[in-house]
Amino acid sequence: MLARLATKRLHEIRQVLLRQSPQVSRPFSTALNYVKEILSHYPSNYKQSAVIPLLDLAQQQHGGWLPVSAMNAVAKVIEVAPIRVYEVVTFYSMFNRTKVGKYHLLVCGTTPCMIRGSREIESALLKHLGVKRNEVTKDGLFSVGEMECMGCCVNAPMITVADYSNGSEGYTYNYYEDVTPERVVEIVELLRRGEKLPPGTQNLKRIKCGPEGGNMTLLSEPKPPPCRDLDAC
């Protein structure tokens, strides 16, 4: 719940900044002009609470990754020791400490996805792109990483595509579920051609996270428990 609230708040702050300067890529020094707007969402004696949205802003300015200089600048703004910022960056996988491709592909490596073939999916991506994990292709388009549980275990295995192809301001983050080694290669080639495919399950026999062929249970209104008179409640 707290993670969802933090994500929602971060999204709201992003939208404020985009309305002020839409579709403009700003260097980090210029982006400091927006720090007051971010800090205004937090109590003045708790500036360190703004560490995540400030890091997000810094990452936008660097095309999807955070050099140490950006982390140090954030630490200076919120008046904490740099190590406190490093701790946040190294904890959250949404922050990248090395350069990434315009399409950063993240393979879920948690147990349900691993059982369903995530290792084979990662191998197919790395072989097709000719890179190792966390390396960027020579054309700068693709990189492949791993992320722990993305919360779609029922649709395992899955990947996420962090899309920086429209610049850091047009960043999107989409899930592709029920993938196969063959399908992820197709997804890469679609992205290479600039084609946008709908996110979600890649199994045409499923609707979202429903079973193949449609629901098999709960097809009618459930019967009330026999031990209670619900009308009397």
Side-chain angles (χ1 to χ4, degrees):
M1 178 62 73
L2 291 176
R4 290 180 180 176
L5 290 173
T7 301
K8 180 180 178 182
R9 192 59 172 164
L10 179 56
H11 176 72
E12 291 173 351
I13 293 173
R14 271 182 171 176
Q15 294 305 112
V16 169
L17 297 178
L18 286 174
R19 284 195 298 269
Q20 292 179 352
S21 184
Q23 303 303 317
V24 176
S25 181
R26 303 178 299 270
F28 187 71
S29 58
T30 305
L32 288 176
N33 295 329
Y34 295 85
V35 169
K36 288 183 179 180
E37 171 62 34
I38 292 175
L39 292 177
S40 70
H41 295 269
Y42 300 91
S44 59
N45 57 330
Y46 284 97
K47 289 196 292 186
Q48 64 268 32
S49 298
V51 62
I52 288 180
L54 286 174
L55 285 170
D56 179 65
L57 178 63
Q59 184 161 275
Q60 288 182 37
Q61 307 315 306
H62 288 84
W65 75 292
L66 283 167
V68 173
S69 58
M71 301 182 212
N72 291 342
V74 170
K76 185 176 181 180
V77 168
I78 60 176
E79 300 177 354
V80 299
I83 186 61
R84 296 303 181 193
V85 176
Y86 303 162
E87 290 170 343
V88 174
V89 173
T90 56
F91 181 82
Y92 290 103
S93 57
M94 64 184 178
F95 295 126
N96 302 308
R97 287 171 288 150
T98 58
K99 290 184 178 180
V100 298
K102 290 184 178 180
Y103 300 102
H104 187 42
L105 313 174
L106 295 166
V107 181
C108 182
T110 310
T111 304
C113 281
M114 188 178 294
I115 293 173
R116 295 280 291 168
S118 65
R119 286 291 173 261
E120 290 78 5
I121 287 166
E122 183 184 39
S123 296
L125 286 170
L126 296 176
K127 180 179 179 181
H128 182 69
L129 295 171
V131 295
K132 297 179 181 179
R133 185 188 290 181
N134 296 322
E135 286 184 349
V136 182
T137 56
K138 292 181 180 179
D139 58 10
L141 281 179
F142 297 98
S143 55
V144 179
E146 181 186 18
M147 182 178 285
E148 293 305 309
C149 191
M150 300 181 189
C152 289
C153 302
V154 71
N155 289 47
M158 65 164 296
I159 67 170
T160 288
V161 178
D163 184 350
Y164 288 97
S165 63
N166 294 316
S168 56
E169 300 292 348
Y171 170 75
T172 61
Y173 187 86
N174 290 317
Y175 281 11
Y176 298 92
E177 305 146 8
D178 294 307
V179 292
T180 63
E182 296 76 20
R183 182 56 179 163
V184 291
V185 171
E186 292 174 358
I187 290 173
V188 165
E189 291 308 310
L190 287 169
L191 293 172
R192 192 190 301 277
R193 295 194 297 268
E195 299 179 25
K196 304 300 181 182
L197 64 159
T201 180
Q202 302 299 296
N203 184 344
L204 299 179
K205 297 179 181 179
R206 300 183 71 175
I207 298 176
K208 296 184 178 180
C209 59
E212 287 190 11
N215 291 343
M216 305 297 291
T217 60
L218 301 177
L219 300 177
S220 60
E221 288 294 322
K223 295 181 179 180
C227 58
R228 292 181 59 195
D229 182 1
L230 295 182
D231 293 331
C233 293

